[in-house]
Every structure is written in structure tokens, then in C-alpha cells.
Amino acid sequence: MSRVAYVNGRYGPKADAAVHIEDRGYQFADAVYEVWGVSDGRLMDYEGHMARLERSLDALHITRPMSRAALTHVLRETVRRNRVRDGLVYLQISRGTAARDHAFPSADVPPSVVVTAKSVDRAKQEAGAARGISVVTRPDIRWGRCDIKTVGLLPNILAKQDAIEAGAADAWLVDDMGTITEGTASNAWIVDQDGVIRTRDTQANILHGITRAAILTIAAEQGLKLEERGFTPDEVKRAREAFYTNASGFATPVVAIDRVAIGNGKPGPVAQRLRELYLQRAEQAAI
Ligand code: PLP
């Protein structure tokens, strides 16, 4: 549970933490966010997430609220004050608070910064990964800049809720060409019939996952066959394995899509091995 939140320069009880009703994140989803995994109180894939945060801010012309060093201090301090050993730290930066107007406010309006941190039960998480999850496919109705990590997640949450109501854990989103883009909060992968590990290329309208990049590096080092090439729901049904990647789930097996079992319907060896290798590496490199 997150007890302490950082909001615009102050740490305080999360229950009382608040931003202004005219915060542009609240009114327009004019805000970006990042999520770091926390291992033994340290930030996982620190550099990748920080670099993507800066790219997201720059893409939207939101001023960087403070130096990298200062922001890193706030992230770590929020983790420390919440006594998180294993878990997640969440950062949101909006364009700030101003009278409601679509146009950007004047340049002297400071961005709003919010940081929270929460613990995750790793044993429970491992048990979940050992079972794998089911997904359903849903149309990808998002905007054209999914490479920017904005808080504008309405299509994602609608698809996720739809998936839950259909008895699955997540939705894999399908573009107009019938190819899967990604999950609602994760990148999508298969090990195809020929044993090739595949995930959508970053020319497509997807988030450039930091865990995705780490898994690509690890798979290449292991000499595994890799292709950054999309796949259809039918290809997932014929695949040997499937899995998703993100900062909170690392690499997690997907065992069914649209109620059809993938492979033998159990977590596959490639996904499980990549998860182990990712965790070893990311835990060691955490700062
Ligand atoms: N794709 C989407 C839409 C996401 O929201 C996320 C993470 O939240 C990812 C992919 C995976 O990104 P990362 O590995 O950097 O957590």
C-alpha cells in the first residue's frame, strides 16, 4: 500500500494528496507518466524509463520540472518513505494548472509532479506467472502517437474492462490490418511455429517498451531466433508460446487467446527462461 505521496515539492499522506481541479492532467489528460519496477528498494531499468520519460515530455513540449538527479532523488525518496522493497514507483507529470483552455498556458506555469510507490507480493506474482494469463482480442482504437506515454488511457481501460468481463486478464489490441499491436499495458510476443520469437516493430503505433528492449537484448545474446514483426490472432493460436512484457509483469506467459489454448495451454519454456534471465539482470542492474 502506498502511504506517502510526493506532490509538487511535498511528501505527505497519500490519503490527503491532491492536485488542483484545473490541473491539465485531470482536465485534458495533458500529462505523461512512467513506471519503474522496484527490486530490493532500487529502481529497475532506470536509464531506459528515464530516457523515455524525457522523450515523452519533449514530444509534448512539457517543460522538464527538475533535473534528472533531483527527479531520481524524489523517486528513491518516495520508495524509501513507503518502505517498498519489491514493487512499483509511479511518476506523473502534467503541463500544470491553469484556467481551462485548450491552448497551452504561459511558459511560466510549472508542470505538476506526482510520485507514488507501492509494494508488490513477489511470491504471489511468481505464482501468477507460473499459471500464465488468458487474453482476448479487441480493436485498437487509440490515437496515432502511442509511442508517447500519456495518461490518456481511455481506450486501454475500456479494452481491459471488456477483457475482464469476458473472463480474461487482458486484451491484445488489433489494428486495421488485422495485426496485433500490443496489450493494454504491455508489449505482446509469440514464439511462432518455427521457433522464432516475434514482437511488433517500433515503426508501428506502439509504446516502445523498456522491458521489450531488454528482452530483445537478452534473447539476442542467447542466440535465439528473433524478429520484430507483427502477428495476427490466428498466428498466436498456432504459436508454440506467447507472453507479454512490461515493468510490472517482466515477461509473463500468455496461455490462451480468444478462448483458444496456445501451444499446450501451459506457460512455455522460452517465456519462462526469458523471465528468469530478465529478472536476474534487471535486479542486478537496479540502482
Ligand atoms: N505498451 C503499453 C500500452 C504500456 O502501457 C506498457 C507499460 O505500461 C508497455 C507497453 C510496456 O512498457 P514497459 O516495458 O516500458 O513497462
Side-chain angles (χ1 to χ4, degrees):
M1 205 178 64
S2 176
R3 286 161 296 189
V4 177
Y6 170 93
V7 183
N8 294 328
R10 289 208 178 82
Y11 298 92
K14 188 185 166 208
D16 305 329
V19 293
H20 197 276
I21 57 163
E22 289 194 304
D23 185 280
R24 292 179 63 96
Y26 176 61
Q27 286 189 327
F28 296 120
D30 189 2
V32 303
Y33 73 105
E34 262 309 327
V35 180
W36 283 260
V38 177
S39 168
D40 203 16
R42 295 173 302 143
L43 307 175
M44 298 167 80
D45 284 328
Y46 163 81
E47 172 63 33
H49 289 282
M50 191 56 90
R52 185 174 63 192
L53 171 74
E54 291 169 354
R55 278 201 309 277
S56 295
L57 289 169
D58 292 352
L60 298 180
H61 307 286
I62 296 177
T63 317
R64 297 185 191 181
M66 60 185 95
S67 69
R68 234 189 207 220
L71 195 53
T72 305
H73 176 77
V74 172
L75 295 172
R76 286 191 172 138
E77 188 57 19
T78 308
V79 167
R80 193 186 69 78
R81 288 185 189 229
N82 284 290
R83 299 201 185 92
V84 174
R85 280 186 66 77
D86 296 310
L88 297 167
V89 58
Y90 175 87
L91 162 70
Q92 179 170 324
I93 302 176
S94 85
R95 201 183 302 280
T97 296
R100 189 178 183 281
D101 183 0
H102 285 58
F104 290 1
S106 67
D108 58 355
V109 171
S112 303
V113 183
V114 170
V115 183
T116 55
K118 68 172 181 185
S119 297
V120 169
D121 182 339
R122 285 293 305 280
K124 229 180 187 174
Q125 206 183 13
E126 284 306 315
R131 286 191 300 272
I133 67 151
S134 299
V135 299
V136 288
T137 54
R138 290 292 180 270
D140 191 340
I141 58 165
R142 299 173 302 163
W143 75 324
R145 291 302 306 273
C146 294
D147 57 311
I148 307 172
K149 198 165 168 68
T150 82
V151 302
L153 294 172
L154 198 48
N156 307 55
I157 64 170
L158 292 176
K160 171 87 176 185
Q161 184 61 27
D162 219 7
I164 291 168
E165 286 173 16
D170 196 17
W172 277 10
L173 307 173
V174 181
D175 69 15
D176 291 346
M177 308 295 285
T179 307
I180 290 166
T181 51
E182 57 187 336
T184 65
S186 59
N187 290 110
W189 301 67
I190 57 169
V191 181
D192 74 12
Q193 279 176 308
D194 303 319
V196 180
I197 301 174
R198 283 164 58 185
T199 192
R200 195 78 192 258
D201 65 279
T202 51
Q203 301 304 307
N205 186 31
I206 62 167
L207 187 74
H208 303 183
I210 304 306
T211 321
R212 172 189 181 282
I215 293 282
L216 280 173
T217 303
I218 291 167
E221 282 171 6
Q222 296 294 307
L224 300 170
K225 286 184 280 181
L226 268 182
E227 265 183 60
E228 291 184 59
R229 181 160 65 89
F231 42 82
T232 63
D234 277 344
E235 285 180 285
V236 183
K237 288 175 190 163
R238 293 195 302 267
R240 292 183 189 174
E241 298 183 30
F243 58 100
Y244 74 83
T245 57
N246 63 15
S248 55
F250 319 126
T252 297
V254 173
V255 295
I257 186 164
D258 292 334
R259 296 180 179 273
V260 175
I262 300 165
N264 63 3
K266 300 221 163 65
V270 174
Q272 287 176 304
R273 182 75 186 130
L274 288 172
R275 178 184 179 89
E276 279 170 26
L277 291 171
Y278 170 77
L279 276 169
Q280 273 170 22
R281 166 136 358 162
E283 285 173 352
Q284 245 168 38
I287 61 157

